[in-house]
Amino acid sequence: MARTALIMSDAFKAYNFGKQHPLKPERVLLTWELIKGLHLHENPNCVVMEPRLATEEELELFHDKEYINFVKKVSAALEKGPLPEDLEIGGLKYNLGPGDNPVFPKMHEGSSIVVGGTIVAVDAVYDGVVENAFQAGGGLHHAQADKASGFCIYNDSVIAIKHLLQKHPRENLKVLYIDVDAHHADGVQSAFYTDTDNVLTISLHESGKFLFPGTGFIEEKGIGIHEGYAVNIPLLPYTYDDLYLDIFDDVVPRIVKAFQPDLIVSQNGVDTHCTDPLAQLGLTTKGQREIFKHIHELAKKYCKGKLVAVGGGGYNIAVVPRSWTMLFADLLGVLDQLPATIPADLLQKLNAGRDTDLIPEYFIDPGPSDEIKMRMNDFKFLDEFELYGQEMRYRVNNQILPLIEKHEAARHAQIAPKTMVKKAEKSAKQK
Ligand SMILES: [Zn+2]
């Protein structure tokens, strides 16, 4: 069995909001160029997999038919020429048009292939074809059931998770979704918020007080059967590597242990970086590498390594390919074999045709930005952060974790007798 699937295809180029938009396909394409330039995809433990288009039935696992039909209509119209006025006005209802989500040719197809890529990854991992998978094009975590949001048309993670649960209805599957993008995973959270205890979502992000989409507060913890199964850890702007990892390590492993997932889907947005133009967190690529490693460790410890890592945000081209290549190398088990610096000829190839955002030769940043360095020496700032971190940790560990533990204990009490009956029946038959 190959260990790691790399979902890779030129078809992802179609997910393109245009030259002026920050979510550029190059973020994903350059990541693959770096992975290929280092020959990681030729490793005997790697298998390259093609995505497929998600079917409309699959898209409807989450999205409203009316919204999908509108996206299809816009795509078809743009094939013929400029968008007719009625569709331009009609798009406002679905958050399509001026602003974050401009319409583009092949919007339906380009979005469906992203979803299909994540479905292929989830199936391959759950079915044991591979242990883990990397789907850099995925992670469109803001898309809502009835509209686009935050550069996201269709929500690949939600659909792939719902697809898996639907495909294996009798197995009482438990999927953990963990999202370390700088923005709150609002679309994914909303998909499972009232309905299920089979999916637990964790989102660590810059607080909604400061950043889009303005949600993801600790009080948002799920409703009814899902109470405690939406975990939000809002972070202050300028949170740097050590502060982030302290909070992560104090809360996330306990939640995973209590939940005992069968599979983990992680969203690995790297707009947490201190140089990202769209967010204000303060991580370096070293901190990001540690976060990826810690999530992978949890998958190995609790669910036989079954991990589907999708991409997400990250708007500094100089950061994304380096961070995600380290993520992929970790999944493949060759992180410690990566060269300290990217070979000069490969670097030249990666940076060809660009004057700005040049990828540096190192994977690990020499340090954070000057602004973060300054704050790391500011005692008042550090005191505030320490206090804030303590409060977050206290609230998750004392107000949310017990809800999960109690619910899981009740689940086991329900399941255990059934399992015992089955075993008893089996042994009776054998006799
Ligand atoms: Zn983001």
Side-chain angles (χ1 to χ4, degrees), residues 39-255:
H39 306 286
L40 298 178
H41 67 308
E42 291 162 358
N43 186 301
N45 279 320
C46 175
V47 54
V48 175
M49 287 186 181
E50 283 278 327
R52 63 170 173 81
L53 287 167
T55 64
E56 278 185 54
E57 219 172 39
E58 287 165 341
L59 298 176
E60 281 175 34
L61 288 170
F62 180 49
H63 294 292
D64 293 354
K65 205 177 174 70
E66 190 192 293
Y67 170 53
I68 299 166
N69 282 340
F70 187 82
V71 176
K72 279 172 66 186
K73 225 189 258 178
V74 168
S75 300
L78 286 172
E79 289 292 297
K80 293 180 198 138
L83 198 64
E85 205 177 33
D86 63 319
L87 287 183
E88 216 163 290
I89 294 166
L92 300 174
K93 183 176 163 192
Y94 305 106
N95 215 359
L96 292 168
D100 281 355
N101 316 300
V103 298
F104 56 90
K106 295 204 184 296
M107 184 165 66
H108 172 71
E109 294 76 8
S111 307
S112 300
I113 196 89
V114 171
V115 177
T118 306
I119 292 175
V120 165
V122 163
D123 276 342
V125 170
Y126 186 72
D127 296 342
V129 179
V130 287
E131 189 175 300
N132 56 47
F134 180 44
Q135 149 60 334
L140 304 178
H141 60 172
H142 296 304
Q144 301 285 345
D146 59 350
K147 61 176 185 237
S149 176
F151 317 158
C152 306
I153 307 296
Y154 297 146
N155 200 316
D156 58 295
S157 296
V158 168
I159 295 164
I161 292 169
K162 283 185 178 266
H163 156 86
L164 193 68
L165 295 178
Q166 192 195 45
K167 198 172 161 187
H168 307 278
R170 271 185 254 280
E171 289 164 43
N172 204 17
L173 258 181
K174 291 199 276 184
V175 180
L176 173 77
Y177 173 86
I178 177 160
D179 189 307
V180 296
D181 190 281
H183 301 88
H184 175 226
D186 57 340
V188 182
Q189 174 175 295
S190 75
F192 303 108
Y193 204 66
T194 56
D195 291 353
T196 180
D197 58 358
N198 290 92
V199 182
L200 188 151
T201 63
I202 305 176
S203 180
L204 294 102
H205 47 264
E206 184 176 336
S207 167
K209 269 189 205 164
F210 310 99
L211 191 67
F212 177 90
T215 51
F217 297 100
I218 208 156
E219 294 80 9
E220 296 165 36
K221 55 179 191 244
I223 291 172
I225 193 173
H226 199 71
E227 194 188 11
Y229 284 60
V231 182
N232 284 295
I233 304 163
L235 302 165
L236 295 177
Y238 313 116
T239 294
Y240 58 84
D241 290 347
D242 289 348
L243 292 171
Y244 190 111
L245 286 160
D246 277 353
I247 295 178
F248 185 101
D249 289 338
D250 195 31
V251 297
V252 175
R254 295 179 208 230
I255 296 168

Side-chain angles (χ1 to χ4, degrees), residues 229 254 258 397 400-410:
Y229 284 60
R254 295 179 208 230
N397 288 332
I400 297 174
L401 181 64
L403 293 171
I404 302 168
E405 287 171 339
K406 198 174 148 201
H407 192 94
E408 289 304 318

Side-chain angles (χ1 to χ4, degrees), residues 322-336:
R322 293 186 291 135
S323 271
W324 284 352
T325 296
M326 288 195 287
L327 161 65
F328 178 68
D330 181 50
L331 293 177
L332 195 55
V334 297
L335 184 59
D336 55 357

